[in-house]
Amino acid sequence: MKNDNKNNKKMVEDITSMEEDFAKWYTDICKKADLVDYSSVKGCMIIRPYGYAIWENIQRIMDTKFKELGHENVYMPMFIPESLLQKEKDHVEGFAPEVAWVTHGGSEPLTEKLCVRPTSETLFCEHYANIIRSYRDLPKLYNQWCSVVRWEKTTRPFLRSREFLWQEGHTMHATAEEAREETVRMLNVYADFHTNELAIPVVKGMKTPSDKFAGAEDTYCIEALMHDGKALQAGTSHYFGDGFAKAFDIQFTDKDNTLRYPHQTSWGTTTRMIGGIIMTHGDDNGLVLPPAVAPIQVVIVPIAQHKEGVLEANRAMYDRLKNNFRVKLDDSDNSPGWKFAEYEMKGVPLRIELGPRDMEAGQCVMVTRHNLEKTIVPLENLEEAVAAKLQEVRDGMYAKALANREKRTYSCTTIDEIKESLKQGDGFVKAMWCGCEECEDKVKELTGVGSRCIPLEEEHLSDVCVCCGKPAKHMVYWGIAY
Amino acid sequence: MKNDNKNNKKMVEDITSMEEDFAKWYTDICKKADLVDYSSVKGCMIIRPYGYAIWENIQRIMDTKFKELGHENVYMPMFIPESLLQKEKDHVEGFAPEVAWVTHGGSEPLTEKLCVRPTSETLFCEHYANIIRSYRDLPKLYNQWCSVVRWEKTTRPFLRSREFLWQEGHTMHATAEEAREETVRMLNVYADFHTNELAIPVVKGMKTPSDKFAGAEDTYCIEALMHDGKALQAGTSHYFGDGFAKAFDIQFTDKDNTLRYPHQTSWGTTTRMIGGIIMTHGDDNGLVLPPAVAPIQVVIVPIAQHKEGVLEANRAMYDRLKNNFRVKLDDSDNSPGWKFAEYEMKGVPLRIELGPRDMEAGQCVMVTRHNLEKTIVPLENLEEAVAAKLQEVRDGMYAKALANREKRTYSCTTIDEIKESLKQGDGFVKAMWCGCEECEDKVKELTGVGSRCIPLEEEHLSDVCVCCGKPAKHMVYWGIAY
């Protein structure tokens, strides 16, 4: 046991405590849980097998949902000619300053430079102009999984990197109403995925006009509060009206034989969600993964595995579970204590221990990662107990994250109240707003928190704007953004 | 019926006949079967939903196999700094002339230009140098699914485009022997996938030294013969020895405490496989898809669907099949004849027709796409009959493709024999070779066929080289390459 403790201690010592330095704790976890590595490509990350397996689980669940709702996957080129990017005025203004430019192919300069896609509205629109003719061609519900590039100055793994992986849905509809429904439908898909699968509570809302996506009429978003009280935009869904359709001359013949412009949406989520998982659920022992996306849901650690029959009994347990769960049996030579620390670092939701004494008693020990609680479980109920424990883990993780958010959400009616509240720690501020950009800027300047979103479910906290005192139009969630 | 025939004819008229112009027939199919579209991004393709769904099926089957064999997926950056690409001499010489260069990020010139990955050996090696320390870290069996860029001058959808989708496996092993085993293991995975799932017969072989991958010691490949007698390289697997390991200073401590260089492989297949499917199986009615990767395996076409009970009976058939097959019921207003032509164009392996007379007789009509043969099937045996028919389609497609290859494979012992044989049409030439590059070049110059591979199973056709008459070292497959 002495040896175990030493090893155990060693690993934990390797990561900075959250309280001491949250940013360093975050990057420590990214490295120590084998999620990412750095390379000589500045600002880009290598997603290692353990990190990529989380992304594959996210992809599988979301992709299934997209397809159930009638979406089809496509693949567009990764390059956008400069002239194509420039077709929609607001869009190019928003993106041109942060794109990477390809200027040479082989040894020859290109006649027109190409940007590496930062997002693909322009490519989808060009394609839609080719293939949409009649109302019968609508709606078009396309999605693609790919990587995109935005030339960020400061980068952090998953949260902000020059290249990241994402999905981008791009849809076209006969009417504005249908397109608005799609925008909200996909926002709800994102919100449900975060709530149910990632155990991350989110606020559904709409960005203020100053914070909209380049070229969008409305940008909806889901906002989550991280453990440190900072806000993370975890997914966005945009309603474009017919602005791009007009810029790209996409028209269809409607049922009444009239030529009309279709209405458009786009929506996206990225590998940033993995950053959200880390910062919502992680602790000083390492990562804590929601069962739905954990590469390993259950790890089996034999106790005194050199003793007769122990490995066999652990293998039998593995065989009972392997078809219904992502389960790993670690029968390596490392000590149990080393293994405990290792799988805690990797955030495996459930650990099962089985040693000679457990075998005699016909039971095993289950330890849930998020609260490190031990339960003795009769072996005969193994399968049901594992399923129940994983549900318990998801629910416990959600409750813990929700409690953190509630503790850190402050309702304020004056600037002074905001300042006073934030002394308790960073968090969400709920306050009324008159709707003008000046007040948005001033709140940020005076208190440090910027507008995150106007929630879909607003509360009435006061009649007047927290900043100027004029009549309030909306309740706004304010926060410090990642 | 008149109307049906007209519609039917119209669609078929739209594609060029194979015999008339195979290249045009090919691009017609790509467009008319809704596989791809073009955009303003020269040399790149848009993969449309129907084409992308084929790729998703390919990915799912291959990825499952890779994982069964212990491979893990990762994601590497899409950019490679110029200095990193230059680390292995042969590699950079092979790829530098055909890469796309990023020179600007936002409005700023980069201090070092970055190429968009044409392949990722250099990135994997840099990462492996970071994470491989001991023999316990080996083997490393990594794979990634991504897009790569090679700045080709002439392009064709799927076969050769500036950007394409692929998987690239990169593995590291403690010994040369293990790495060689992996190289051949993955070649066999590719060959089995082509044979069993794509119904494409392939020759497994090794490239001659002049045709090896840049930086490899040995390049293995699978070569398929297309309907027009031209050869398609359908997958490659490379053995690198420890050349990259030395260039990138990747070393591990072996069991005997000695520092050693690991041995490396890489292997890849691309969206080119979809081109191979089209050119192996397609005909003048359109695409013919192997059941394993067909987005729609079975299409149900109601006959006289306005008559009482017909749609209900067709829906009941759909419900019986939907859980075990990828099935579509087309109850649109288009005529049956139009639907027949549409799904023949799209290569759906099996069509089921059900009308009032069939219902009375308790049967349906099944038509297999590859030979357009009709069978009457009792409705009570529906599920078993569909499974059997799909197997029959795969087997029939394979037999047809194999017969075409055999008909077009010529064993030759002299240059004149090669010339004479090729008058019957393009195809594979089997002939002996002395092993020198001059003879390789000369055969191509004199006859038009280049060396495709030295097959793993060589035959002894003669004692001497077909070109110089000196003692033969190998039998070689020669052909005209796509």
PDB file of all heavy atoms in Angstrom, chain A residues 37-48:
ATOM      1  N   ASP A  37      -1.942  16.957 -27.460  1.00  0.00           N
ATOM      2  CA  ASP A  37      -0.514  17.234 -27.401  1.00  0.00           C
ATOM      3  C   ASP A  37      -0.264  18.447 -28.296  1.00  0.00           C
ATOM      4  O   ASP A  37      -1.103  18.810 -29.125  1.00  0.00           O
ATOM      5  CB  ASP A  37       0.299  16.024 -27.881  1.00  0.00           C
ATOM      6  CG  ASP A  37       1.783  16.120 -27.464  1.00  0.00           C
ATOM      7  OD1 ASP A  37       2.122  16.981 -26.629  1.00  0.00           O
ATOM      8  OD2 ASP A  37       2.590  15.329 -27.986  1.00  0.00           O
ATOM      9  N   TYR A  38       0.852  19.075 -28.090  1.00  0.00           N
ATOM     10  CA  TYR A  38       1.208  20.213 -28.928  1.00  0.00           C
ATOM     11  C   TYR A  38       2.145  19.744 -30.036  1.00  0.00           C
ATOM     12  O   TYR A  38       2.710  18.657 -29.983  1.00  0.00           O
ATOM     13  CB  TYR A  38       1.866  21.301 -28.083  1.00  0.00           C
ATOM     14  CG  TYR A  38       0.961  21.804 -26.988  1.00  0.00           C
ATOM     15  CD1 TYR A  38       1.136  21.394 -25.667  1.00  0.00           C
ATOM     16  CD2 TYR A  38      -0.088  22.665 -27.282  1.00  0.00           C
ATOM     17  CE1 TYR A  38       0.282  21.839 -24.662  1.00  0.00           C
ATOM     18  CE2 TYR A  38      -0.943  23.116 -26.283  1.00  0.00           C
ATOM     19  CZ  TYR A  38      -0.757  22.703 -24.977  1.00  0.00           C
ATOM     20  OH  TYR A  38      -1.596  23.144 -23.989  1.00  0.00           O
ATOM     21  N   SER A  39       2.305  20.583 -31.043  1.00  0.00           N
ATOM     22  CA  SER A  39       3.208  20.239 -32.134  1.00  0.00           C
ATOM     23  C   SER A  39       3.909  21.513 -32.560  1.00  0.00           C
ATOM     24  O   SER A  39       3.723  22.564 -31.940  1.00  0.00           O
ATOM     25  CB  SER A  39       2.419  19.671 -33.309  1.00  0.00           C
ATOM     26  OG  SER A  39       1.682  20.714 -33.934  1.00  0.00           O
ATOM     27  N   SER A  40       4.690  21.444 -33.621  1.00  0.00           N
ATOM     28  CA  SER A  40       5.366  22.660 -34.078  1.00  0.00           C
ATOM     29  C   SER A  40       4.422  23.545 -34.892  1.00  0.00           C
ATOM     30  O   SER A  40       4.816  24.584 -35.388  1.00  0.00           O
ATOM     31  CB  SER A  40       6.603  22.297 -34.894  1.00  0.00           C
ATOM     32  OG  SER A  40       6.241  21.506 -35.995  1.00  0.00           O
ATOM     33  N   VAL A  41       3.175  23.108 -35.045  1.00  0.00           N
ATOM     34  CA  VAL A  41       2.189  23.937 -35.749  1.00  0.00           C
ATOM     35  C   VAL A  41       1.530  24.843 -34.709  1.00  0.00           C
ATOM     36  O   VAL A  41       0.635  24.429 -33.988  1.00  0.00           O
ATOM     37  CB  VAL A  41       1.123  23.060 -36.448  1.00  0.00           C
ATOM     38  CG1 VAL A  41       0.328  23.911 -37.434  1.00  0.00           C
ATOM     39  CG2 VAL A  41       1.758  21.871 -37.141  1.00  0.00           C
ATOM     40  N   LYS A  42       1.992  26.081 -34.653  1.00  0.00           N
ATOM     41  CA  LYS A  42       1.551  27.003 -33.606  1.00  0.00           C
ATOM     42  C   LYS A  42       0.037  27.209 -33.593  1.00  0.00           C
ATOM     43  O   LYS A  42      -0.566  27.461 -34.632  1.00  0.00           O
ATOM     44  CB  LYS A  42       2.224  28.366 -33.809  1.00  0.00           C
ATOM     45  CG  LYS A  42       3.455  28.550 -32.941  1.00  0.00           C
ATOM     46  CD  LYS A  42       4.037  29.944 -33.158  1.00  0.00           C
ATOM     47  CE  LYS A  42       5.539  29.863 -33.361  1.00  0.00           C
ATOM     48  NZ  LYS A  42       6.059  30.834 -34.314  1.00  0.00           N
ATOM     49  N   GLY A  43      -0.554  27.111 -32.413  1.00  0.00           N
ATOM     50  CA  GLY A  43      -1.973  27.419 -32.273  1.00  0.00           C
ATOM     51  C   GLY A  43      -2.895  26.298 -32.689  1.00  0.00           C
ATOM     52  O   GLY A  43      -4.108  26.433 -32.606  1.00  0.00           O
ATOM     53  N   CYS A  44      -2.335  25.179 -33.169  1.00  0.00           N
ATOM     54  CA  CYS A  44      -3.153  24.012 -33.519  1.00  0.00           C
ATOM     55  C   CYS A  44      -2.882  22.913 -32.501  1.00  0.00           C
ATOM     56  O   CYS A  44      -1.853  22.899 -31.845  1.00  0.00           O
ATOM     57  CB  CYS A  44      -2.809  23.496 -34.912  1.00  0.00           C
ATOM     58  SG  CYS A  44      -3.225  24.647 -36.235  1.00  0.00           S
ATOM     59  N   MET A  45      -3.827  21.992 -32.358  1.00  0.00           N
ATOM     60  CA  MET A  45      -3.627  20.925 -31.375  1.00  0.00           C
ATOM     61  C   MET A  45      -3.670  19.563 -32.045  1.00  0.00           C
ATOM     62  O   MET A  45      -4.296  19.370 -33.080  1.00  0.00           O
ATOM     63  CB  MET A  45      -4.690  20.989 -30.277  1.00  0.00           C
ATOM     64  CG  MET A  45      -6.112  20.870 -30.824  1.00  0.00           C
ATOM     65  SD  MET A  45      -7.383  20.987 -29.525  1.00  0.00           S
ATOM     66  CE  MET A  45      -8.825  21.348 -30.559  1.00  0.00           C
ATOM     67  N   ILE A  46      -2.962  18.623 -31.419  1.00  0.00           N
ATOM     68  CA  ILE A  46      -3.104  17.221 -31.771  1.00  0.00           C
ATOM     69  C   ILE A  46      -4.159  16.652 -30.829  1.00  0.00           C
ATOM     70  O   ILE A  46      -4.019  16.777 -29.607  1.00  0.00           O
ATOM     71  CB  ILE A  46      -1.774  16.469 -31.565  1.00  0.00           C
ATOM     72  CG1 ILE A  46      -0.725  16.957 -32.580  1.00  0.00           C
ATOM     73  CG2 ILE A  46      -1.975  14.959 -31.663  1.00  0.00           C
ATOM     74  CD1 ILE A  46       0.686  16.466 -32.277  1.00  0.00           C
ATOM     75  N   ILE A  47      -5.211  16.065 -31.367  1.00  0.00           N
ATOM     76  CA  ILE A  47      -6.204  15.413 -30.503  1.00  0.00           C
ATOM     77  C   ILE A  47      -5.820  13.945 -30.400  1.00  0.00           C
ATOM     78  O   ILE A  47      -5.841  13.220 -31.386  1.00  0.00           O
ATOM     79  CB  ILE A  47      -7.633  15.579 -31.041  1.00  0.00           C
ATOM     80  CG1 ILE A  47      -7.922  17.069 -31.318  1.00  0.00           C
ATOM     81  CG2 ILE A  47      -8.633  15.019 -30.034  1.00  0.00           C
ATOM     82  CD1 ILE A  47      -9.337  17.341 -31.785  1.00  0.00           C
ATOM     83  N   ARG A  48      -5.414  13.535 -29.200  1.00  0.00           N
ATOM     84  CA  ARG A  48      -4.903  12.176 -28.979  1.00  0.00           C
ATOM     85  C   ARG A  48      -6.058  11.170 -28.891  1.00  0.00           C
ATOM     86  O   ARG A  48      -7.216  11.556 -28.794  1.00  0.00           O
ATOM     87  CB  ARG A  48      -4.043  12.157 -27.709  1.00  0.00           C
ATOM     88  CG  ARG A  48      -2.847  13.133 -27.816  1.00  0.00           C
ATOM     89  CD  ARG A  48      -1.887  12.940 -26.669  1.00  0.00           C
ATOM     90  NE  ARG A  48      -1.315  11.591 -26.735  1.00  0.00           N
ATOM     91  CZ  ARG A  48      -0.498  11.079 -25.820  1.00  0.00           C
ATOM     92  NH1 ARG A  48      -0.180  11.808 -24.759  1.00  0.00           N
ATOM     93  NH2 ARG A  48      -0.016   9.867 -25.950  1.00  0.00           N
TER      94      ARG A  48
END
